[in-house]
């Protein structure tokens, strides 16, 4: 996973276009963005990092909703795909491509994959009867249907008993290989709880899965919507099978083929089975290499329920916009990346918690620390002071402390522990605060006239504070690219290839950028601009930004 001689290829689920984007989709995509940005910085110029997101467009509901709006499925899908792209631009997502399953580049590949599986006998024709969840467009196993009293485990709506003639994927043939794959961590499923869940379900045995739908079923009166079954135009490929292939189809070209296999697929637990079991089995059937890892996070909740399109209880792009207007989009990204449902536990999104975290980590944390240090430097020295070779002051070995923070962030990134990765940067900020409190540079400044040692000592203290904050800022960059790029401009220390573009590449790998006293460190005498604090304090008494839509 952290084998950095290989390209780093990270994906999000591709999102259904039958509705509008919301915080849940934004969450996974922001985390993927934070990981992608970290990898680009870790590897430096020429980094081979590829970050893919996109939309899943061939669901039957797209056809019926489009019809009810007097639109073609393609128009309706296009309108919503654009809404996802706009939402991701607002969230400052730096994806390298955006795949839409209705694009020919995808459909042609899917057809070829299916053809090859028909040829190998991994896909065959047969009858299927089962419990269908119309809301989720998927069959639910007999056990899951019984446990949920024959209602959808997601929406609570009744399941439908359906029989259809279908093409099937010979999933049962892969049982042993899948178990071995997941047990051996060759395909690493994280966190542990999800891995155990998959292994537990695998031991119950696998049945072959339907991979097609009859044309006309759910799409009557229209041009068939989706990818037709090769050699049998009466059938379309089931939307889920079509969708999973996006991860491969997008990079299955001469220029990009070396990117496969994916390093990390990020998903939430709603779609675990498809990604942990069906997807690797199909890749085995195709004789393709398997992705390295699958990270499965929990849900953002609203009260007791999962935030979701079907329940209509989600935070909208407009509400997120209102937060960004007041606090900056970077602050919102920080909240998602450090407080979201990463790991196995669900998380609530609340305004009160947002304000608390914003003030603690950003306004009183990173923002205050950088502005305190800029102000003192400007007041006492005008430009970056000279530490005159001192590295250890008051028991603080800054080269060592910063080096350890970088190592801990790199380690955490390898484990996909995003919050710890970012906390490594924040804890450096806190260490600088503590250091200012013990060394009291403002008090020392008053004795400069009377004490000949005071000036050099003050210079060394402030240099260390600024340089430690510079290293901290590198570790905070993946979550807050714009605020950090702003600090780098003010301090004339941008490691970006274009200081005015927070999405440009890095001139060197992280190890060089973060080296104390290295080529990229702050130079005595260089300009340090004061500027406004990066984050203004939030007033918890102010009402929540934005208005909830009626209903
Ligand atoms: N189209 C399928 C995925 C196909 S991938 C080959 C799909 N789409 S979806 O629009 O329903 O998106 C599901 C994904 O959105 C989740 O796996 C998760 O990444 C994200 N989330 C949607 N709601 C969420 C929450 N309430 N909380 C956290 N993530 C959520 O399933």
């Amino acid at each position: 996973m952290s084998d950095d001689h290989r390209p780093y290829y990270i994906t999000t689920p591709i999102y259904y276009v039958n509705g509008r984007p919301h915080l849940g989709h934004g969450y996974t995509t922001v985390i993927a963005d934070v990981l992608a940005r970290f990898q680009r910085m870790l590897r430096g110029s020429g980094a081979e990092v590829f970050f893919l997101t996109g939309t899943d467009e061939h669901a039957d509901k797209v056809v019926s909703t489009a019809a009810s709006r007097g639109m073609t499925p393609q128009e309706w899908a296009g309108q919503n795909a654009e809404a996802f792209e706009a939402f991701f631009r607002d969230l400052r997502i730096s994806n390298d491509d955006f795949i839409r399953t209705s694009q020919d580049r995808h459909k042609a590949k899917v057809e070829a994959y299916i053809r090859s599986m028909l040829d190998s006998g991994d896909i065959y024709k047969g009858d299927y009867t089962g419990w269908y969840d119309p809301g989720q467009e998927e069959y639910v196993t007999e056990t899951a249907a019984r446990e949920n009293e024959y209602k959808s485990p997601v929406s609570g709506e009744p399941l439908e008993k359906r029989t259809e003639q279908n093409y099937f994927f010979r999933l049962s043939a892969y049982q042993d290989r899948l178990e071995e794959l997941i047990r051996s961590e060759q395909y690493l499923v994280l966190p542990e709880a999800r891995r155990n869940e998959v292994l537990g379900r695998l031991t119950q045995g696998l049945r072959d899965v339907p991979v097609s739908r009859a044309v006309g079923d759910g799409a009557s009166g229209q041009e068939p919507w989706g990818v037709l079954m090769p050699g049998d135009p009466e059938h379309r490929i089931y939307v889920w099978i079509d969708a999973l292939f996006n991860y491969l189809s997008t990079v299955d070209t001469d220029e990009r083929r070396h990117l496969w296999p994916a390093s990390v697929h990020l998903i939430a637990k709603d779609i675990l089975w498809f990604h942990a079991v069906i997807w690797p089995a199909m890749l085995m059937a195709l004789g393709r290499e398997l992705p390295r890892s699958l990270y499965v996070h929990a849900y953002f909740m609203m009260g007791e329920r999962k935030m979701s399109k079907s329940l209509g209880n989600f935070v909208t792009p407009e509400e997120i916009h209102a937060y960004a207007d007041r606090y900056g989009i970077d602050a919102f990204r920080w909240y998602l990346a450090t407080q979201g449902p990463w790991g196995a536990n669900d998380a609530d999104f609340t305004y009160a918690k947002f304000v608390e975290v914003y003030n603690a980590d950003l306004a009183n944390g990173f923002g205050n620390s950088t502005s305190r240090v800029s102000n003192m430097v400007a007041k006492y020295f005008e430009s970056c002071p000279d530490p005159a070779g001192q590295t250890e002051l008051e028991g603080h070995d800054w080269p060592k402390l910063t080096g350890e923070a970088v190592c801990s962030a790199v380690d955490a990134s390898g484990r996909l522990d995003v919050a710890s990765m970012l906390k490594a940067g924040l804890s450096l900020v806190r260490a600088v605060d503590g250091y200012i409190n013990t060394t009291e540079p403002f008090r020392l400044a008053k004795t400069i006239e009377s004490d000949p040692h005071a000036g050099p000592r003050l210079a060394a203290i402030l240099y260390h504070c600024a340089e430690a904050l510079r290293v901290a800022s590198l570790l905070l960059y993946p979550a807050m690219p714009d605020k950090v790029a702003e600090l780098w401009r003010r301090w004339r220390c941008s490691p970006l290839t274009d200081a005015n573009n927070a999405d440009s590449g890095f001139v060197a790998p992280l190890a060089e950028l973060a080296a104390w006293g290295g080529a990229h460190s702050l130079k005595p005498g260089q300009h340090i601009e004061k500027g406004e604090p990066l984050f203004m304090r939030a007033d918890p008494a102010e009402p929540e930004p934005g208005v909830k839509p009626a209903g």
Side-chain angles (χ1 to χ4, degrees):
M1 204 165 44
S2 59
D3 41 356
D4 40 304
H5 53 280
R6 279 210 68 243
Y8 189 82
Y9 174 23
I10 183 165
T11 68
T12 71
I14 50 170
Y15 304 106
Y16 285 132
V17 281
N18 200 40
R20 287 159 34 78
H22 61 71
L23 178 69
H25 310 124
Y27 175 65
T28 316
T29 315
V30 164
I31 299 287
D33 187 65
V34 171
L35 288 166
R37 285 179 190 270
F38 189 89
Q39 287 294 326
R40 291 191 196 108
M41 179 173 69
L42 183 67
R43 292 152 183 252
S45 58
E48 273 239 79
V49 174
F50 193 77
F51 166 19
L52 180 67
T53 187
T55 43
D56 180 355
E57 308 197 352
H58 290 140
D60 288 351
K61 274 183 289 183
V62 171
V63 178
S64 49
T65 314
S68 72
R69 293 176 174 251
M71 293 167 110
T72 65
Q74 192 65 62
E75 283 165 351
W76 173 235
Q79 183 174 316
N80 283 317
E82 172 49 37
F84 273 92
E85 289 201 72
F87 180 47
F88 293 160
R89 277 195 296 275
D90 284 351
L91 286 170
R92 298 289 287 107
I93 302 302
S94 62
N95 52 303
D96 295 290
D97 199 351
F98 190 94
I99 182 74
R100 297 181 50 192
T101 54
S102 66
Q103 288 166 338
D104 288 340
R105 61 167 171 158
H106 171 77
K107 295 197 315 194
K109 296 282 181 205
V110 170
E111 229 182 275
Y113 302 144
I114 298 289
R115 200 182 291 276
S116 140
M117 288 159 82
L118 282 164
D119 289 348
S120 66
D122 281 289
I123 290 182
Y124 64 91
K125 205 170 184 180
D127 271 333
Y128 183 80
T129 303
W131 292 104
Y132 189 74
D133 180 346
Q136 295 303 106
E137 307 211 21
E138 66 187 30
Y139 279 94
V140 172
T141 62
E142 184 61 40
T143 323
R146 200 175 333 109
E147 279 169 6
N148 287 291
E149 293 169 356
Y150 302 94
K151 296 199 178 101
S152 162
V154 178
S155 67
E157 296 294 314
L159 298 172
E160 292 171 9
K161 187 108 194 179
R162 285 201 189 177
T163 299
E164 45 188 294
Q165 198 177 51
N166 260 324
Y167 287 84
F168 287 83
F169 170 52
R170 216 174 281 286
L171 182 63
S172 57
Y174 292 90
Q175 162 100 29
D176 296 344
R177 273 176 280 175
L178 281 166
E179 240 185 280
E180 163 61 17
L181 180 73
I182 292 170
R183 212 174 280 289
S184 68
E185 300 189 354
Q186 219 183 309
Y187 183 33
L188 180 61
V189 179
L190 289 170
E192 184 85 17
R194 298 283 93 83
R195 175 171 169 266
N196 293 337
E197 182 183 329
V198 174
L199 287 170
R201 274 182 70 183
L202 273 174
T203 56
Q204 294 168 19
L206 289 175
R207 300 217 316 210
D208 294 350
V209 288
V211 295
S212 69
R213 293 281 178 274
V215 163
D217 182 15
S220 47
Q222 301 281 343
E223 284 287 293
W225 180 239
V227 182
L228 292 180
M229 184 57 71
D232 187 350
E234 290 307 304
H235 284 86
R236 290 170 297 144
I237 293 156
Y238 174 41
V239 61
W240 253 107
I241 301 304
D242 168 0
L244 284 166
F245 281 124
N246 89 89
Y247 305 126
L248 181 62
S249 71
T250 306
V251 298
D252 205 355
T253 64
D254 289 345
E255 304 75 49
R256 290 179 173 171
R257 202 156 284 128
H258 65 287
L259 294 168
W260 190 257
S263 314
V264 190
H265 292 313
L266 298 188
I267 59 165
K269 58 190 177 182
D270 48 349
I271 53 180
L272 173 63
W273 189 249
F274 285 105
H275 285 81
V277 175
I278 297 176
W279 177 227
M282 291 202 301
L283 287 168
M284 286 189 230
L286 286 172
R288 299 287 183 141
E289 268 196 86
L290 299 174
R292 294 279 197 265
S293 61
L294 175 69
Y295 194 99
V296 189
H297 64 75
Y299 295 146
F300 253 123
M301 308 291 280
M302 258 314 200
E304 297 289 289
R305 315 214 58 179
K306 177 192 173 199
M307 208 178 269
S308 81
K309 179 186 68 186
S310 41
L311 296 171
N313 61 343
F314 50 77
V315 176
T316 64
E318 290 72 26
E319 288 166 299
I320 294 174
H321 222 105
Y323 271 79
D325 277 350
R326 193 187 293 168
Y327 307 104
I329 194 64
D330 280 359
F332 197 81
R333 289 170 53 101
W334 175 262
Y335 182 85
L336 296 190
T338 60
Q339 308 298 321
W342 205 241
N345 299 323
D346 296 337
D348 253 327
F349 181 88
T350 70
Y351 171 55
K353 180 86 196 230
F354 179 90
V355 169
E356 185 191 314
V357 170
Y358 173 87
N359 277 337
D361 294 354
L362 306 182
N364 300 332
F366 182 50
N368 184 53
S369 201
T370 47
S371 100
R372 249 175 132 185
V373 170
S374 316
N375 286 338
M376 285 193 282
V377 166
K379 191 159 163 199
Y380 308 134
F381 296 97
E382 286 170 5
S383 62
C384 180
D386 188 345
Q390 300 185 61
T391 58
E392 191 171 335
L393 291 153
E394 308 287 342
H396 280 73
D397 183 346
W398 284 109
K400 182 160 175 276
L401 286 172
T402 50
E404 284 168 357
V406 172
C407 283
S408 130
V410 173
D411 271 5
S413 78
R415 285 178 277 119
L416 300 175
D417 181 353
V418 180
S420 302
M421 188 180 106
L422 297 170
K423 291 279 163 64
L426 189 67
S427 59
L428 264 186
V429 172
R430 303 237 189 269
V432 168
D433 281 341
Y435 181 62
I436 294 177
N437 294 342
T438 33
T439 56
E440 300 187 313
F442 36 87
R443 198 186 290 265
L444 198 57
K446 295 194 183 119
T447 65
I448 285 184
E449 307 280 282
S450 56
D451 177 358
H453 299 298
R457 196 172 135 68
L458 180 61
I461 291 172
L462 288 181
Y463 179 85
H464 285 83
C465 290
E467 178 64 358
L469 287 176
R470 186 191 68 83
V471 177
S473 71
L474 290 164
L475 305 182
L476 299 176
Y477 162 86
M480 301 188 286
D482 291 330
K483 290 290 183 182
V484 169
E486 170 63 20
L487 178 75
W488 290 340
R489 275 194 298 276
R490 289 182 192 176
W491 287 14
R492 311 291 191 271
C493 64
S494 181
L496 293 165
T497 48
D498 173 359
N500 293 316
N501 177 4
D503 300 344
S504 58
F506 286 85
V507 295
L510 179 63
E512 280 174 41
L513 299 178
W516 194 276
H520 303 277
S521 59
L522 291 169
K523 301 290 173 299
Q526 80 178 58
H527 189 67
I528 297 267
E529 193 183 311
K530 273 203 309 190
E532 289 286 299
L534 292 172
F535 301 93
M536 305 303 280
R537 280 194 185 84
D539 176 3
E542 221 182 323
E544 181 173 6
V547 272
K548 299 245 180 264

